[in-house]
């Protein structure tokens, strides 16, 4: 049976139907070229691509910064509350199709503010779509407001945290040269408000940035974190404290953190006992949503269906939802596990 399960088609079927949780997803990174072009026209925003094909052709990246330039340009077509609603509902319908039962989404308010869009429109549109997806498809979610680390922590954004409608704060954008310290105060205030805290660290930046995200920002999860393996003491800390890593394999290859999927260190992260999870980051730009990331990574690294179950149980453990919701998600996974025992 083992050899049958390891054939690519069987593994893909197993992963497609597996109940899943996503913890690292930028909603602006789900903007598919079709919607990008349509919104640019509808909102009269001038972008360098006039066709879907031209947009897709521009999605070739050298590193994180070259991607961010394209990503922020894409985000500039989002202007009205309904744009954010349509974008978010499109992603949530992907979740429905991919058996994603719980998802945690980042958004970048400073980018939208700089484009003259009110935060109420951004959050109103996103949260309305999340509510509709919960009501119609029973997909639970949490919204995480990201500070862009290459900008100053804007007070109006910090105040937005107090308005409600978000579960936590994060830190994203250009990592190199922008260590976590600048955000110590906003993360401290967020903690005092009972908000969750995460930060991108150790994607392109060194292990020292992961240490400082933990020690200075007091984060509960590390986004990416793949460079932790360069520092054995850091690995011990992450393992001992069960700090999850929200790893994004397709993103890491597209941004040249690893030269190819078969070189990715996800297998080594799991072997080290780290609470690793798989996520899609910016799926419209990196060639696949969550199922494609899991299937591609497992098959490139000779990992198995059992590893897929472990990754999903890790994601449930690290999710920012109630214990009751976690129990329900774990029950779904146990059931799926039991009904596929003959294949595992
Ligand atoms: N914003 C969107 N995707 C990102 C990534 N992979 N790293 C940092 N900031 C981001
Ligand atoms: Zn990210």
């Amino acid at each position: 049976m083992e050899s049958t399960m390891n054939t690519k088609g069987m593994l893909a079927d197993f992963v497609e139907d597996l109940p899943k949780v996503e913890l690292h997803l930028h909603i602006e990174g789900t903007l598919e070229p079709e919607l990008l072009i349509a919104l640019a026209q509808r909102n009269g925003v001038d972008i360098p691509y006039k066709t879907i094909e031209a947009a897709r052709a521009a999605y070739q990246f050298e590193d994180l910064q070259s991607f961010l330039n394209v990503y922020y340009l894409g985000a500039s077509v989002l202007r009205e509350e309904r744009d954010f609603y349509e974008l978010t509902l499109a992603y949530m319908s992907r979740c429905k199709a991919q058996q994603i039962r719980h998802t945690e989404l980042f958004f970048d308010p400073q980018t939208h503010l700089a484009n003259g869009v009110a935060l109420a429109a951004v959050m109103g549109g996103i949260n309305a779509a999340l509510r509709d997806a919960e009501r119609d498809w029973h997909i639970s979610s949490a919204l995480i407001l990201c500070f862009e680390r290459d900008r100053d922590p804007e007070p109006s954004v910090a105040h937005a945290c107090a308005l409600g409608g978000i579960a936590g704060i994060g830190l994203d954008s250009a990592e190199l040269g922008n260590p976590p310290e600048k955000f110590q105060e906003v993360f401290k205030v967020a903690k005092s408000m009972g908000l969750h805290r995460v930060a991108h660290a150790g994607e392109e930046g060194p292990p020292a940035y992961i240490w400082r995200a933990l020690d200075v920002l007091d984060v509960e999860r590390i986004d990416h974190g793949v460079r932790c393996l360069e520092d054995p003491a850091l690995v011990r800390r992450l393992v001992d404290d069960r700090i999850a890593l929200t790893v994004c394999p397709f993103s890491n290859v597209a941004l040249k953190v690893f030269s190819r999927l078969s070189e990715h260190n996800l297998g080594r992260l799991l072997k080290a006992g780290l609470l690793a999870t798989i996520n899609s980051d910016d799926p419209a730009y990196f060639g696949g949503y969550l199922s494609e990331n899991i299937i591609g990574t497992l098959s490139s690294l000779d990992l198995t269906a059992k590893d897929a179950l472990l990754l999903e149980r890790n994601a449930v453990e690290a999710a920012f939802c109630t214990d009751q919701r976690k129990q329900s998600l774990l029950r779904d996974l146990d059931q799926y596990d039991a009904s596929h025992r003959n294949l595992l």
Side-chain angles (χ1 to χ4, degrees):
M1 263 308 169
E2 182 71 12
S3 62
T4 322
M5 187 59 201
N6 283 339
T7 62
K8 283 198 172 152
M10 294 281 285
L11 184 63
D13 289 349
F14 180 88
V15 171
E16 270 161 17
D17 291 339
L18 176 69
K20 288 180 272 297
V21 166
E22 175 140 78
L23 301 178
H24 184 159
L25 180 283
H26 301 262
I27 193 61
E28 297 90 346
T30 67
L31 182 60
E32 291 287 341
E34 289 78 0
L35 187 58
L36 169 82
I37 301 290
L39 290 182
Q41 281 171 2
R42 190 163 90 189
N43 293 329
V45 179
D46 190 26
I47 53 168
Y49 341 109
K50 301 297 169 220
T51 64
I52 292 161
E53 295 69 32
R56 269 218 180 87
Y59 295 176
Q60 303 287 337
F61 313 111
E62 283 312 307
D63 53 17
L64 176 57
Q65 188 59 60
S66 65
F67 158 69
L68 290 171
N69 298 340
V70 173
Y71 165 91
Y72 290 127
L73 181 75
S76 73
V77 305
L78 298 159
R79 295 295 164 118
E80 305 288 335
E81 181 162 342
R82 69 170 171 157
D83 304 342
F84 291 92
Y85 178 84
E86 287 170 21
L87 176 72
T88 307
L89 200 68
Y91 165 64
M92 297 307 282
S93 72
R94 299 265 188 177
C95 289
K96 176 174 179 271
Q98 296 210 342
Q99 305 299 332
I100 297 174
R101 305 285 165 84
H102 175 81
T103 181
E104 303 193 355
L105 308 85
F106 298 130
F107 72 111
D108 285 325
Q110 285 160 294
T111 287
H112 305 303
L113 279 175
N115 290 333
V117 185
L119 267 185
V122 179
M123 291 173 64
I126 296 173
N127 274 322
L130 297 181
R131 275 195 302 274
D132 287 356
E134 171 125 48
R135 184 197 59 211
D136 296 341
W137 304 324
H138 312 292
I139 302 170
S140 56
S141 56
L143 187 59
I144 299 176
L145 179 155
C146 274
F147 286 88
E148 294 167 43
R149 65 202 308 155
D150 45 357
R151 296 178 188 258
D152 285 332
E154 240 172 81
S156 65
V157 175
H159 290 146
C161 299
L163 297 178
I166 64 162
I169 66 166
L171 187 64
D172 67 359
S173 202
E175 187 183 10
L176 283 173
N178 293 303
E181 294 82 271
K182 197 166 68 178
F183 297 87
Q184 180 167 20
E185 192 52 34
V186 278
F187 274 69
K188 197 170 139 201
V189 172
K191 184 175 184 183
S192 73
M193 290 166 65
L195 291 170
H196 289 290
R197 295 151 327 275
V198 298
H200 283 55
E203 177 185 17
E204 283 187 341
Y209 285 20
I210 304 179
W211 279 112
R212 288 187 239 160
L214 295 170
D215 291 336
V216 180
L217 304 185
D218 195 14
V219 298
E220 299 154 86
R221 301 193 302 237
I222 296 287
D223 296 313
H224 294 292
V226 290
R227 288 192 59 191
C228 71
L229 288 187
E230 295 167 29
D231 182 341
L234 175 59
V235 171
R236 272 196 301 281
R237 165 82 181 272
L238 294 166
V239 170
D240 288 349
D241 290 356
R242 290 192 80 67
I243 303 284
L245 303 182
T246 63
V247 178
C248 305
F250 278 23
S251 162
N252 292 153
V253 174
L255 305 188
K256 302 194 168 28
V257 174
F258 296 96
S259 54
R260 56 180 69 85
L261 214 44
S262 57
E263 307 275 309
H264 199 283
N265 68 3
L266 182 88
R268 280 178 279 141
L269 296 173
L270 288 174
K271 269 212 180 77
L274 287 152
L275 198 68
T277 64
I278 289 188
N279 307 274
S280 68
D281 206 6
D282 301 287
Y285 293 95
F286 299 149
Y289 285 77
L290 185 55
S291 290
E292 290 82 9
N293 267 272
I294 301 175
I295 294 164
T297 308
L298 294 180
S299 40
S300 297
L301 297 177
D302 286 328
L303 296 173
T304 64
K306 267 194 183 142
D307 295 308
L309 278 163
L310 171 66
L311 287 159
E312 290 314 311
R313 289 193 172 107
N314 287 350
V316 174
E317 178 174 340
F320 296 148
C321 54
T322 62
D323 284 345
Q324 190 189 8
R325 180 67 182 144
K326 286 190 187 200
Q327 292 314 319
S328 158
L329 293 164
L330 285 175
R331 267 197 307 278
D332 287 351
L333 281 169
D334 288 345
Q335 240 170 40
Y336 195 79
D337 188 348
S339 63
H340 291 78
R341 265 291 133 120
N342 59 330
L343 299 175
L344 287 167

